[in-house]
Amino acid sequence: MVRPCGLLTHEKKPVPLKSISVNLSICEFVAGVSATLNYENEEKVPLEVVFVFPVDEDSAVYSFEAMVDGKKIVAELQDKNEARASYEDAISQGHQAFLLEEDDSSSDVFCCNLGNLPPGSKAALTLKYVQELLLEADGAVRSVLPTVLNPRYQLSGGPEDSCLAMKRPMVPVEDVPYTLSMDATITSQHGVERVQCNCPLRATEYLADKTSAQISLADGHKFDRDVELLIYYREVHAPSVAVEMGEPSTKPDCLMGDPSAMVSFYPNIPEAQSPTACGEFIFLMDRSGSMDCPMSNRDNSPPRIEAAKETLVWLLKSLPIGCYFNIYGFGSFYEAFFQKSVQYTQDTMEEALRKVKLMRADLGGTEILAPLQNIYSAASIPGHPLQLFVFTDGEVNDTFRVIREVKSNGLRHRCFSFGIGEGASTSLIRGIARVSGGAAEFITGGERMQSKALRALKRSLQPVAEDVSLSWNLPPGLAAKLLSPEPTIIFRAQRLIIYAQLTGKLPPAKATGEVCLKYTLQGKSFENKVMFSLQPKFDANFTIHRLAAKSFIQTKDVGFTDTPANDQKEVLKVSIECGVISSHTAFIAINKDLNKPVQGPVARRDIPAPDTGFHSSIKALIGDADHKIRFIDAVDESTSYHCMPHRKNSSSYSSMMKKSLDFLGQVKHSVLGFRSKTPKPVSESPPEIDSAYFSTSETNLETNHTVVEDDHLAQLISLQNADGSWCLSDGLAVVLGMSLEDILAALPVKGADPSGWATVLAVLWLHGNCQDMKCEWDLLERKAVAWIHTHAGSVVQELAKAAVDFLKLSVDPAVFAP
């Protein structure tokens, strides 16, 4: 269903929205946000309106207020059922009332009812929240202001009353009648190195010592993308503890009355030189109709499904020999490549690649529960722990149900989740990773899915820190009570944030405490200690307290209807005490000071929303609910499971994917030997739409690498064997820009295996031409080097030196060091 952002009448029509202004205050890894939406009722009749908007799942929403005709009305947080009843009662009496609540089925969507907005009145609605900021692999801190709220798919059997099925008119981006402004202040005691944004900015101003920066969004921004900031501090890996003073007027021994501590660790876990070769790797790929939408709003941006297919090729080539794997595609029903996970060999890899080639975004809706349940129902493979990779645009309505399913199986697997495109549900993507001890990534703008997926695979193959414990050394009479779950494992390059309530009597001035993080890694014990001052600092917004409350609520709150009674009681207590909204609470405000009760029918007026291309694509793809989907089986051997009625769809190819996947069929000595199979149609097959894959020589803002213009990298990777080697073939010659005869003539060791020579050439070509994309080919290069030492160990250095001269590359042959 479509959930538009903005102020909407109950008749599903928006009212005039004039402007949105956002003030953003970022200090280190925490952001405080104040967003004000300015509306005006220019009609002659009163309105009852609904404000629907996205908020990042980790945000602690603690304030909602309205300024109506110069009068400030501050909302109070109450039990949701009581707040709803109060709102209905106030409206029926003609009073002006406001109700803000988290959506019953997804914690990253909020709804606000504004009842009885009189004719000619102006309303300014202000929302305040705080949130932790994500840390990227390159050390950047990412701040996202969500502005895109995509359609969410209704799971079968899910709730029907989740944010009414509202529709709105769409207009071109350049014709949107309301504006967005954003001012941000960024501070860090370690210094702000630089700030990047995916949207145009005015000039960035730094203080002389660069401990602070101020930026503003350039005029003319429209709602075609989320606003993302990448902030590079001079130091991000230092452990720290911040202690915040409690609220003096609150009684002690409650969360808001006691000091709260925010502990940040960044354990220095070294990279293992020999990653594990065991594991069961299951890739669960979204093939719903929305996956045919572009990755971004940039010109020539590839369809999401095509970027996903290329990513699967990269992943399949990077798996270690001897592991087990399977691939699922899901939509209104799901398909598994194999009846059960199979051992990774040359044959199974080739079979999977053939099926990847035929994948389409043709499976209708986003019914993710059924494939998850099927995956979890399978018996575990001894010695091969399950690692689940979920790729989706996150457009699922009832995220709590999905998170509960993953959580119930959290002890037997880790889930690495990837949100694809603008507006992916942060509640779903982060939630399933959090409850399974995995990690979440979001791919937006010009970011490459391959980079983040391969980084996650590399992380899953590395040993993790286990037996994690946290101990406190505090003065007598003072104790620490954890409010966030104690971690059980730690990944390499993972930041760890833990919240605690300090109970008891604070010591005199200048007293210090110490917190120690202990863990084991590959049988060795490690510990990280950090000393901190026990003199709490005052923050009027109580940022740490509210983030601590949000962390606690996330561990207990599993939705309005399904949270166990005892947990619900605790969630209500902490939520109301700290003023942080949950699925069981709502903000309510009633204005009884109007001169007379508001009377008259509710009017219906529409405000246009920006057409980013997504909604029009959805309409074309999904169509009417009465029609059934027309789809093509991936291959004859695939297993299909039907979950609900299907909807019509169309699919498209990317010319880039045709080139990279069909490449082997164009050469005489094909290593993988892809063959086109005639798909078995279930009904009339959909038309094919050829789309050019996004390729440019520009450096992408988020990934900071240059995309190879003719994508020889994709072609080279498609030629690699499962064991890591390359065969000497015409295909390899095309990539190297040499003739096969010249390559054979340059073989320095007579009688040497040509595959050894081909593999050395391929590895050196990667280092010489794609160094800035090493995160995408690092794992398959390791396989190649290991294979070379096993099969051509005695002549490796001779082959390497000759290959460097032959290819005319300035690459150190030491890259082949064992």
Side-chain angles (χ1 to χ4, degrees):
M1 72 174 99
V2 176
R3 289 190 180 132
C5 297
L7 205 58
L8 312 164
T9 69
H10 274 307
E11 283 75 15
K12 310 172 186 178
K13 291 293 182 177
V15 301
L17 168 62
K18 302 301 181 183
S19 64
I20 300 176
S21 59
V22 177
N23 287 306
L24 183 62
S25 177
I26 297 174
C27 181
E28 307 294 356
F29 300 108
V30 174
V33 182
S34 175
T36 300
L37 298 99
N38 299 294
Y39 297 93
E40 182 176 0
N41 181 5
E42 299 175 320
E43 304 299 323
K44 297 181 180 180
V45 292
L47 300 173
E48 181 176 12
V49 293
V50 175
F51 171 39
V52 181
F53 58 96
V55 171
D56 192 284
E57 189 258 355
D58 284 338
S59 300
V61 179
Y62 68 89
S63 174
F64 188 78
E65 60 187 38
M67 184 71 73
V68 181
D69 298 330
K71 179 179 176 60
K72 185 177 180 180
I73 306 167
V74 179
E76 176 186 351
L77 193 63
Q78 297 180 359
D79 177 283
K80 182 181 281 189
N81 287 326
E82 295 175 4
R84 286 174 171 174
S86 297
Y87 173 82
E88 294 296 336
D89 183 60
I91 294 302
S92 66
Q93 297 180 43
H95 296 305
Q96 197 168 65
F98 306 84
L99 179 70
L100 174 69
E101 55 184 322
E102 181 182 291
D103 186 71
D104 285 350
S105 59
S106 186
S107 61
D108 62 347
V109 177
F110 280 70
C111 302
C112 174
N113 293 50
L114 191 162
N116 293 330
L117 183 64
S121 291
K122 295 182 179 180
L125 308 180
T126 300
L127 170 79
K128 294 181 181 180
Y129 60 89
V130 291
Q131 66 178 133
E132 293 176 14
L133 299 181
L134 298 176
L135 185 64
E136 296 293 296
D138 63 352
V141 175
R142 182 188 290 253
S143 173
V144 180
L145 176 65
T147 64
V148 177
L149 185 57
N150 287 333
R152 298 287 177 89
Y153 178 77
Q154 177 74 46
L155 292 175
S156 57
E160 298 292 338
D161 58 349
S162 172
C163 281
L164 301 174
M166 303 171 185
K167 295 184 179 181
R168 57 180 176 169
M170 312 299 291
V171 297
V173 170
E174 60 271 16
D175 294 334
V176 174
Y178 48 89
T179 62
L180 172 68
S181 63
M182 185 191 77
D183 296 299
T185 301
I186 303 162
T187 58
S188 171
Q189 60 180 341
H190 302 293
V192 181
E193 192 172 278
R194 68 184 188 276
V195 180
Q196 295 181 345
C197 185
N198 67 332
C199 302
L201 296 175
R202 299 173 189 167
T204 303
E205 299 179 4
Y206 295 95
L207 290 182
D209 59 359
K210 294 196 77 172
T211 57
S212 178
Q214 290 185 330
I215 64 170
S216 296
L217 199 63
D219 294 338
H221 176 82
K222 302 296 181 182
F223 293 84
D224 60 340
R225 70 193 71 178
D226 293 339
V227 180
E228 300 184 24
L229 296 177
L230 291 180
I231 305 160
Y232 292 85
Y233 297 131
R234 290 174 179 170
E235 176 59 62
V236 296
H237 296 166
S240 63
V241 178
V243 181
E244 183 179 87
M245 184 183 298
E247 189 172 7
S249 61
T250 305
K251 62 180 182 180
D253 300 327
C254 68
L255 201 159
M256 288 301 290
D258 288 330
S260 287
M262 178 181 181
V263 183
S264 177
F265 279 108
Y266 198 100
N268 183 21
I269 299 176
E271 183 175 350
Q273 295 303 309
S274 300
T276 179
C278 64
E280 180 187 8
F281 300 90
I282 294 183
F283 305 104
L284 181 57
M285 184 63 69
D286 193 338
R287 287 177 55 190
S288 62
S290 56
M291 286 291 288
D292 233 353
C293 298
M295 283 291 295
S296 72
N297 298 314
R298 301 184 180 189
D299 292 339
N300 298 321
S301 180
R304 298 171 183 177
I305 189 65
E306 300 302 340
K309 287 164 66 174
E310 184 184 343
T311 299
L312 283 175
V313 173
W314 259 247
L315 289 167
L316 285 169
K317 294 290 185 174
S318 301
L319 289 175
I321 286 287
C323 73
Y324 287 78
F325 79 100
N326 203 350
I327 297 175
Y328 283 70
F330 71 93
S332 296
F333 62 100
Y334 65 94
E335 296 176 342
F337 277 19
F338 305 99
Q339 289 282 353
K340 61 180 181 179
S341 293
V342 296
Q343 193 167 21
Y344 180 72
T345 64
Q346 182 69 22
D347 289 340
T348 57
M349 181 194 74
E350 288 184 7
E351 184 176 353
L353 288 170
R354 286 193 293 270
K355 296 177 181 182
V356 167
K357 177 182 176 182
L358 297 173
M359 286 176 60
R360 305 284 184 271
D362 58 1
L363 299 189
T366 312
E367 191 77 26
I368 193 173
L369 267 180
L372 283 172
Q373 291 166 344
N374 180 264
I375 291 167
Y376 295 144
S377 68
S380 299
I381 302 174
H384 293 272
L386 175 60
Q387 312 265 23
L388 178 61
F389 292 71
V390 177
F391 298 84
T392 178
D393 51 21
E395 288 140 21
V396 176
N397 187 350
D398 191 0
T399 62
F400 282 125
R401 288 178 66 199
V402 179
I403 293 170
R404 286 198 304 272
E405 182 67 31
V406 176
K407 184 177 182 179
S408 66
N409 292 275
L411 295 179
R412 58 169 294 200
H413 83 301
R414 289 185 297 183
C415 179
F416 297 86
S417 54
F418 303 85
I420 303 171
E422 306 286 352
S425 170
T426 57
S427 176
L428 176 68
I429 303 303
R430 289 207 188 117
I432 60 177
R434 182 178 62 249
V435 298
S436 63
E441 295 277 6
F442 291 88
I443 303 116
T444 59
E447 292 179 312
R448 281 172 64 84
M449 194 184 304
Q450 299 90 324
S451 298
K452 296 201 170 185
L454 269 297
R455 190 181 300 129
L457 178 61
K458 185 176 180 180
R459 175 180 280 188
S460 73
L461 292 169
Q462 289 284 321
V464 296
E466 300 176 301
D467 303 322
V468 181
S469 65
L470 203 67
S471 60
W472 300 76
N473 183 7
L474 301 172
L478 191 64
K481 175 185 176 182
L482 287 185
L483 297 171
S484 45
E486 192 164 336
T488 56
I489 61 172
I490 306 173
F491 295 106
R492 181 176 180 272
Q494 179 184 358
R495 183 188 59 180
L496 197 62
I497 293 182
I498 299 169
Y499 297 96
Q501 176 183 352
L502 299 182
T503 61
K505 185 177 180 180
L506 282 175
K510 297 184 179 180
T512 60
E514 184 182 73
V515 60
C516 179
L517 176 71
K518 297 181 180 180
Y519 56 90
T520 60
L521 180 67
Q522 294 182 306
K524 297 181 180 179
S525 297
F526 297 88
E527 61 180 39
N528 293 163
K529 294 181 179 179
V530 58
M531 189 173 292
F532 60 96
S533 169
L534 283 171
Q535 297 307 304
K537 295 182 178 180
F538 176 74
D539 178 357
N541 292 325
F542 297 98
T543 300
I544 293 177
H545 282 77
R546 284 171 170 140
L547 289 174
K550 178 67 175 182
S551 180
F552 176 84
I553 290 169
Q554 283 180 325
T555 65
K556 302 285 187 178
D557 193 353
V558 291
F560 181 65
T561 59
D562 294 299
T563 304
N566 289 338
D567 289 343
Q568 181 178 333
K569 184 178 180 181
E570 291 188 71
V571 168
L572 272 170
K573 179 179 181 296
V574 172
S575 177
I576 293 175
E577 181 183 299
C578 300
V580 174
I581 202 167
S582 69
S583 71
H584 301 279
T585 52
F587 282 104
I588 176 70
I590 300 174
N591 179 16
K592 297 182 180 180
D593 296 336
L594 296 176
N595 292 331
K596 60 180 180 180
V598 174
Q599 297 179 352
V602 174
R604 167 177 170 165
R605 294 295 181 267
D606 297 334
I607 186 168
D611 186 357
T612 63
F614 180 91
H615 296 85
S616 56
S617 298
I618 289 294
K619 184 177 180 181
L621 290 169
I622 296 179
D624 299 326
D626 294 337
H627 290 79
K628 292 188 176 182
I629 190 171
R630 295 176 293 181
F631 66 95
I632 301 174
D633 283 342
V635 288
D636 293 346
E637 301 93 329
S638 290
T639 305
S640 299
Y641 305 85
H642 296 259
C643 303
M644 64 179 297
H646 315 312
R647 298 178 177 181
K648 67 183 180 182
N649 194 0
S650 62
S651 60
S652 67
Y653 278 110
S654 162
S655 58
M656 179 270 169
M657 281 304 298
K658 284 183 177 179
K659 178 166 62 177
S660 62
L661 290 176
D662 291 342
F663 179 74
L664 296 174
Q666 300 171 8
V667 298
K668 294 180 180 179
H669 303 284
S670 171
V671 177
L672 298 181
F674 284 127
R675 296 186 302 276
S676 298
K677 284 193 174 184
T678 303
K680 180 181 178 181
V682 173
S683 60
E684 182 183 350
S685 60
E688 295 178 0
I689 305 172
D690 189 81
S691 302
Y693 189 88
F694 175 67
S695 178
T696 179
S697 58
E698 275 186 21
T699 299
N700 292 332
L701 171 67
E702 297 87 347
T703 54
N704 197 31
H705 69 65
T706 302
V707 179
V708 180
E709 192 68 46
D710 57 358
D711 219 354
H712 280 170
L713 174 61
Q715 298 173 1
L716 182 67
I717 290 176
S718 70
L719 293 169
Q720 190 184 31
N721 294 318
D723 60 10
S725 66
W726 273 268
C727 292
L728 196 54
S729 66
D730 284 341
L732 180 62
V734 170
V735 173
L736 299 179
M738 308 282 187
S739 70
L740 188 60
E741 292 75 14
D742 289 344
I743 296 174
L744 285 168
L747 181 61
V749 182
K750 291 185 178 180
D753 182 0
S755 293
W757 176 233
T759 304
V760 168
L761 290 170
V763 170
L764 288 173
W765 187 92
L766 287 171
H767 280 275
N769 294 276
C770 303
Q771 189 63 38
D772 59 346
M773 299 172 70
K774 193 174 189 297
C775 63
E776 297 186 16
W777 50 263
D778 183 49
L779 288 175
L780 56 88
E781 182 233 14
R782 292 187 185 191
K783 285 204 298 184
V785 172
W787 182 91
I788 290 170
H789 281 281
T790 300
H791 294 83
S794 61
V795 294
V796 169
Q797 290 306 311
E798 188 175 352
L799 291 174
K801 291 178 181 178
V804 168
D805 293 337
F806 178 65
L807 295 176
K808 297 180 174 60
L809 296 172
S810 56
V811 179
D812 189 347
V815 298
F816 293 100

